[in-house]
Amino acid sequence: MPEKTYDHNQIELKWHERWKDEGLYRAEENSTKPKYYVLEMLPYPSGALHIGHIRNYSIGDALARHMWMRGYNVLHPMGWDAFGLPAENAAIANQRPPREWTLANIEKMKRTHRRFAFSYDWDREVTTCEPEYYRWNQWFFLRMIERGLAYRKQALVNWCPLCATVLANEQVVDGCCWRHETTPVEQRALEQWFLRTTAYADELLRDIAQLEGAWPERVLTMQRNWIGRSEGAEVDFTVAGYGPVRVFTTRIDTIYGATCLILAPEHEIVATRLGPEAQAAAKKMIDARAQQGPGDVEKEGFDTGLRAMNPFATDPLNRETIPVWVGNFVLMGYGTGAIMAVPAHDQRDFEFCRKYGIDIRPVIRPVNGELADPATMTDASDDYGIVENSGPWSGLTSEEARRRMAERAQAEGFGKPAITFRIKDWGVSRQRYWGTPIPVIHCPNDGVVPVPDDQLPVLLPRQIQITGKGRSPLDEVPEFVNVTCPKCGGPARRETDTMDTFVDSSWYFYRYCDAKNSSAPFDKKKIDYWFPIDQYIGGVEHAILHLIYSRFWTKMMRDIGLTTCDEPVRKLFTQGMVIRNGAKMSKSKGNVVPADEVADKHGADTARLFALFAAPPEKDVDWIDSSVEGIYRFLGRVYRFATRNLPVVEPGGDGSADVKILRKLHQTLKKITHDFDTRWHFNTSISAIMELVNEMYLEESHISSAAMAQTLRILTLMMAPFAPYVAQELWEEQGGDGPVFKQDWPDFDPDLARESEVEIVVQINGKVRARLIVPPGTDANGLTSIARDDEKVQALLAGKTVVKIIAVPDKLINFVIKG
Ligand SMILES: [Zn+2]
Ligand SMILES: [Zn+2]
């Protein structure tokens, strides 16, 4: 047959039309097949998909298609994280209602999704701004109120005095209001809603053990640090004229070295015991903290003039007191909002006390050393050692003193052993319009009254004027605000705060299993079948909040009897970013490559293949136009070769290259199969396919028709997860029936696939420590990963820092280590 030129538009349009209404990607209910739930994080409907999105979805899509070919019942859904601030900002900017703006963006993005033939089961689509979905946010919220997991307390919000409105954190730009960049943001206290994530702090930490090996180690580390468990003790210092002030310390053994007490600027003492000048100074610190954001802040403080007594200083002749300070680095949310400063044994305290000339008193010496001299100390030492200058405790080891002193505090009633967590309760109140209304009513007689279940959903009003002024836009909608109290029937006010949009994404993936259920968030039986998610894919920027909140939500749902899962996600994969002109692709940087533009010019297959080929999925990808051209030419080569050799009829070539080409074919198949099972090095999978195609070109006239038929068939199946349109077209050209991704993934022939092998040596700091068998020509990256996978090498490298790796293909790999 004469070869055909590769016309991506013609091929992609043809299949797009044919696939449109076929429900090709529908997950099966009540299937006897093994299940596989693969999920990409749901996008915010910001306008248009760009190539960064395409990369994320191409990874998940390749996996979904591959798993179908392996015989699984695959669930691969998609939805929209549709509430949030940008819709509200767009409404202020161009007078377009947030809902309209959001739904229009969803339509647009969904068209692109379909154009790229991502294999989503659209019957299960979830749009979080629709009442069918957010009513369940409200329902969960009521369950949490019942269990004491949702509560109200005073907390600070960002306030712009010029706009007279509350600002979201994202609206604070370099400490100023986003709308006029010279007005510094202030902090105001408001009654707000919190979810008690701390009730699960212990479990969130403990269950990280279940995720070990299946989530990236750095994500687990970030989560551990975020939860931040520390063991120590609480003790009360008595402040003259006020009473006991509780502090938390992990080092009660150093308490005789405490030379001042430092309070958070929000501490109650500031408001109740200090004068207006001190209060103003404290307020300034609070505002400055909001403006600076996280990071290293210069430590500042002032002396309150109050004095505190160390509870361990019980000697009546020696009841010394220490000064009470306020410090900007002491946080109200962590521990108790007050610390004892032990400058000799804590670096942060050391810097603060040196700056303000506060005493430094060493009380721990090294086991075989002397106490440091405060006059010449340049740093604090937080090492354990022997306790000195500490009354009856002198001479004990730090460990012993920690235990016994905490026991004494408990026995005497001025403290106790304690565990503290860095994680705080989740503040979910937002003074915004475009979110889930919090389902409570404020009644002058009954206080906070939950909206009864049968009155859900509390609908967000659609007609609303967003001016960007006032506490919350919902305050300006009388028909929303003015209600009848469900308890006493008297006039009452509806809560106008809405929920943080992280609530929406905390459980959306459960809803996919039963997206149309109108009587419950989902049917437990469906969750039992589909959960946990087998593979979750998304950006590492969601490694903390989204995943902590999802884990919290899962445990909460389990405890109210809705599921039996402890953890929602079995395996997590965090893909790298797409970079262009040296920066992450983003709308605000103006370096976005719109997905549709690439699809117009080169086709969806090219865009997908590029996204997978340019780097291993976990690494960043640099978008380079010329390499996109290269991918496009490659698809053309495959297509022309296949069409001119089809249909495969006798007689073909002389057959002299059959063994060679079939070896190459089965080696490629083995490699790709292995890659899907393990590390998803799709870039090397695709380059292996490219090498195979080169070989086919070279040997074209020496391949018998039987070998040609086998080669083209397997080549097509191997390409199906990566380039579905071309693969489908070639499948049809070969006379294949049905969707190519529903064919069985071919088995490789182990004899043909066996590669020749070479032995390399593994050196550590130049000494031969191991020998490994590898395929010839394995490059430096390949050698590194093979070596790191080897148990013996792993043991040798455990706990060491690799500072350099030298790899010589077919010969050796040398790890230069430290420590
Ligand atoms: Zn403002
Ligand atoms: Zn009432």
Side-chain angles (χ1 to χ4, degrees):
M1 198 168 84
E3 71 173 32
K4 295 186 193 169
T5 40
Y6 174 52
D7 178 348
H8 67 270
N9 273 323
Q10 186 259 327
I11 293 171
E12 293 187 1
L13 254 173
K14 165 180 157 188
W15 289 104
H16 185 263
E17 283 305 307
R18 282 212 216 163
W19 285 338
K20 218 156 88 187
D21 303 311
E22 289 192 19
L24 277 186
Y25 311 117
R26 215 168 273 154
E28 297 167 33
E29 296 289 348
N30 308 315
S31 170
T32 52
K33 294 177 190 165
K35 67 94 184 177
Y36 194 81
Y37 186 175
V38 51
L39 181 68
E40 298 107 57
M41 289 181 186
L42 86 176
Y44 180 77
S46 55
L49 292 179
H50 60 70
I51 210 76
H53 294 108
I54 297 303
R55 185 177 194 213
N56 183 209
Y57 307 140
S58 298
I59 296 169
D61 198 63
L63 188 64
R65 289 172 185 275
H66 179 76
M67 294 311 275
W68 264 304
M69 297 176 84
R70 297 282 281 267
Y72 285 82
N73 181 21
V74 176
L75 173 57
H76 188 210
M78 182 44 69
W80 310 98
D81 193 11
F83 274 137
L85 196 60
E88 230 167 289
N89 292 345
I92 298 172
N94 49 35
Q95 299 300 308
R96 195 168 179 198
R99 184 185 154 82
E100 194 187 301
W101 182 86
T102 304
L103 296 185
N105 284 345
I106 288 176
E107 267 322 294
K108 199 162 141 196
M109 290 167 79
K110 198 168 162 184
R111 264 202 307 279
T112 310
H113 271 297
R114 287 183 184 272
R115 175 177 197 175
F116 274 79
F118 292 127
S119 56
Y120 300 126
D121 183 347
W122 287 111
D123 286 353
R124 297 167 183 269
E125 181 177 5
V126 163
T127 304
T128 61
C129 67
E130 296 295 10
E132 293 74 31
Y133 182 77
Y134 70 67
R135 69 173 294 174
W136 301 112
N137 289 343
Q138 296 171 339
W139 186 86
F140 282 122
F141 196 88
L142 295 173
R143 302 292 83 77
M144 285 193 268
I145 292 180
E146 289 160 7
R147 284 161 180 78
L149 289 172
Y151 68 96
R152 269 158 75 77
K153 72 168 184 197
Q154 286 261 327
L156 296 175
V157 293
N158 305 305
W159 178 265
C160 173
L162 212 68
C163 301
T165 193
V166 175
L167 299 177
N169 286 337
E170 306 90 290
Q171 292 174 314
V172 180
V173 180
D174 297 328
C176 291
C177 174
W178 64 303
R179 249 177 284 166
H180 32 266
E181 288 162 13
T182 51
T183 311
V185 169
E186 294 174 8
Q187 298 283 290
R188 284 207 177 178
L190 287 183
E191 280 279 302
Q192 300 184 68
W193 286 95
F194 285 82
L195 300 184
R196 210 177 291 281
T197 37
T198 53
Y200 286 93
D202 249 330
E203 203 189 332
L204 287 167
L205 187 69
R206 191 190 66 212
D207 287 351
I208 285 179
Q210 296 183 26
L211 310 173
E212 221 53 85
W215 285 33
E217 192 49 48
R218 71 171 171 146
V219 172
L220 297 181
T221 303
M222 284 192 268
Q223 294 228 340
R224 276 193 204 95
N225 292 341
W226 187 259
I227 297 166
R229 180 182 194 274
S230 37
E231 264 179 55
E234 287 179 354
V235 279
D236 293 330
F237 280 67
T238 306
V239 173
Y242 174 76
V245 169
R246 183 148 283 210
V247 307
F248 173 81
T249 173
T250 57
R251 292 296 303 274
I252 195 172
D253 57 312
T254 66
I255 199 166
Y256 282 78
T259 53
C260 70
L261 194 68
I262 311 179
L263 309 175
E266 299 92 340
H267 198 281
E268 195 203 35
I269 287 186
V270 177
T272 58
R273 292 293 186 282
L274 302 186
E277 208 173 309
Q279 287 182 12
K283 177 157 186 345
K284 227 168 148 186
M285 283 180 187
I286 297 168
D287 289 341
R289 193 188 281 156
Q291 287 155 23
Q292 268 149 343
D296 232 4
V297 174
E298 170 73 21
K299 290 163 197 62
E300 282 174 359
F302 60 85
D303 191 345
T304 63
L306 298 169
R307 306 287 294 184
M309 181 139 51
N310 186 329
F312 276 89
T314 47
D315 175 358
L317 297 175
N318 191 18
R319 302 204 82 168
E320 70 156 0
T321 58
I322 56 176
V324 178
W325 283 62
V326 169
N328 64 346
F329 61 97
V330 181
L331 302 175
M332 206 58 213
Y334 176 77
T336 57
I339 63 160
M340 64 176 203
V342 184
H345 302 294
D346 179 286
Q347 186 59 25
R348 187 187 57 180
D349 299 347
F350 180 83
E351 288 166 20
F352 186 83
C353 293
R354 264 280 189 268
K355 175 170 175 178
Y356 291 107
I358 300 165
D359 281 355
I360 294 173
R361 190 186 303 161
V363 291
I364 306 288
R365 67 168 171 82
V367 176
N368 296 310
E370 301 289 316
L371 274 182
D373 176 1
T376 57
M377 277 176 81
T378 54
D379 281 304
S381 160
D382 58 6
D383 293 342
Y384 280 14
I386 306 296
V387 176
E388 293 294 352
N389 295 334
S390 300
W393 315 96
S394 300
L396 295 178
T397 62
S398 289
E399 291 87 347
E400 182 81 1
R402 280 182 70 197
R403 191 173 57 73
R404 286 171 55 179
M405 291 170 85
E407 284 167 9
R408 166 66 65 87
Q410 187 156 32
E412 304 273 330
F414 62 79
K416 60 177 188 200
I419 291 164
T420 192
F421 290 91
R422 187 179 163 269
I423 190 174
K424 295 182 215 163
D425 283 339
W426 175 10
V428 291
S429 276
R430 295 292 179 275
Q431 292 72 38
R432 312 247 58 97
Y433 161 66
W434 194 231
T436 303
I438 290 178
V440 303
I441 285 162
H442 299 278
C443 169
N445 302 320
D446 302 304
V448 173
V449 182
V451 172
D453 276 8
D454 60 9
Q455 291 175 28
L456 297 185
V458 175
L459 286 173
L460 197 60
R462 290 200 182 167
Q463 293 309 320
I464 186 163
Q465 197 61 38
I466 299 180
T467 58
K469 292 211 162 41
R471 198 188 118 148
S472 157
L474 286 171
D475 277 338
E476 313 298 323
V477 186
E479 55 281 23
F480 178 80
V481 174
N482 300 323
V483 290
T484 308
C485 169
K487 233 180 194 169
C488 68
R493 276 180 64 84
R494 195 183 284 292
E495 171 69 61
T496 57
D497 282 359
T498 54
M499 295 183 202
D500 179 7
T501 59
F502 273 111
V503 168
D504 307 320
S505 53
S506 287
W507 69 281
Y508 75 102
F509 34 57
Y510 289 92
R511 184 72 178 171
Y512 284 142
C513 300
D514 198 7
K516 300 199 169 76
N517 196 328
S518 57
S519 56
F522 44 74
D523 176 351
K524 181 168 180 290
K525 285 201 295 292
K526 298 191 175 181
I527 302 302
D528 287 346
Y529 176 72
W530 286 113
F531 264 77
I533 296 165
D534 295 280
Q535 183 68 62
Y536 197 22
I537 302 166
V540 75
E541 65 273 24
H542 300 296
I544 298 179
L545 293 182
H546 163 55
L547 290 168
I548 289 260
Y549 294 149
S550 305
R551 296 180 59 220
F552 160 76
W553 209 276
T554 291
K555 292 171 192 304
M556 177 274 292
M557 293 197 307
R558 177 202 60 199
D559 288 352
I560 63 180
L562 288 177
T563 73
T564 48
C565 311
D566 285 327
E567 287 290 333
V569 175
R570 205 168 64 80
K571 286 178 83 179
L572 173 72
F573 185 85
T574 48
Q575 95 275 3
M577 297 181 294
V578 178
I579 309 279
R580 193 187 188 202
N581 306 333
K584 178 184 178 177
M585 220 173 255
S586 79
K587 236 178 165 177
S588 60
K589 297 217 172 64
N591 62 350
V592 162
V593 177
D596 283 320
E597 212 171 82
V598 185
D600 286 344
K601 197 161 170 207
H602 294 302
D605 277 347
T606 293
R608 292 168 67 124
L609 211 54
F610 171 81
L612 295 175
F613 174 69
E618 72 275 15
K619 296 269 163 56
D620 293 347
V621 161
D622 217 332
W623 174 262
I624 300 166
D625 294 325
S626 59
S627 35
V628 181
E629 299 275 351
I631 294 285
Y632 186 67
R633 281 197 303 273
F634 164 69
L635 287 176
R637 260 164 82 75
V638 172
Y639 188 71
R640 287 194 308 276
F641 184 95
T643 48
R644 73 176 173 244
N645 284 290
L646 285 170
V648 182
V649 286
E650 299 288 353
D654 61 17
S656 62
D658 282 6
V659 174
K660 190 175 172 196
I661 208 77
L662 291 177
R663 285 189 83 84
K664 186 80 186 167
L665 178 71
H666 284 268
Q667 285 166 357
T668 309
L669 178 58
K670 180 183 175 184
K671 188 179 177 57
I672 294 177
T673 308
H674 180 71
D675 253 13
F676 267 113
D677 287 342
T678 53
R679 24 169 91 247
W680 302 0
H681 278 187
F682 299 138
N683 55 322
T684 58
S685 296
I686 293 165
S687 65
I689 295 177
M690 290 173 169
E691 277 174 39
L692 169 67
V693 170
N694 284 342
E695 198 92 359
M696 287 158 61
Y697 263 82
L698 285 175
E699 304 294 350
E700 189 168 356
S701 57
H702 304 296
I703 305 174
S704 72
S705 52
M708 182 65 84
Q710 188 185 148
T711 306
L712 288 178
R713 182 172 175 278
I714 293 180
L715 173 68
T716 304
L717 293 170
M718 286 193 296
M719 288 180 66
F722 306 120
Y725 283 116
V726 169
Q728 185 67 51
E729 179 73 7
L730 291 178
W731 185 246
E732 193 187 53
E733 297 265 8
Q734 286 164 69
D737 272 336
V740 64
F741 73 94
K742 292 282 174 84
Q743 310 305 315
D744 288 341
W745 184 256
D747 290 324
F748 59 86
D749 177 327
D751 286 332
L752 285 172
R754 186 166 301 123
E755 307 218 15
S756 49
E757 291 163 334
V758 294
E759 187 187 81
I760 60 150
V761 296
V762 181
Q763 301 178 337
I764 292 179
N765 289 345
K767 288 209 184 96
V768 176
R769 296 296 190 187
R771 290 170 196 279
L772 295 173
I773 304 294
V774 302
T778 306
D779 67 5
N781 284 338
L783 290 179
T784 307
S785 46
I786 292 169
R788 282 190 183 275
D789 279 352
D790 183 75
E791 262 178 45
K792 193 171 167 199
V793 179
Q794 272 174 9
L796 291 164
L797 294 179
K800 307 288 198 303
T801 308
V802 175
V803 289
K804 197 174 171 189
I805 297 172
I806 301 151
V808 184
D810 300 343
K811 289 208 167 59
L812 66 85
I813 177 160
N814 181 17
F815 291 90
V816 182
I817 61 171
K818 210 174 63 182

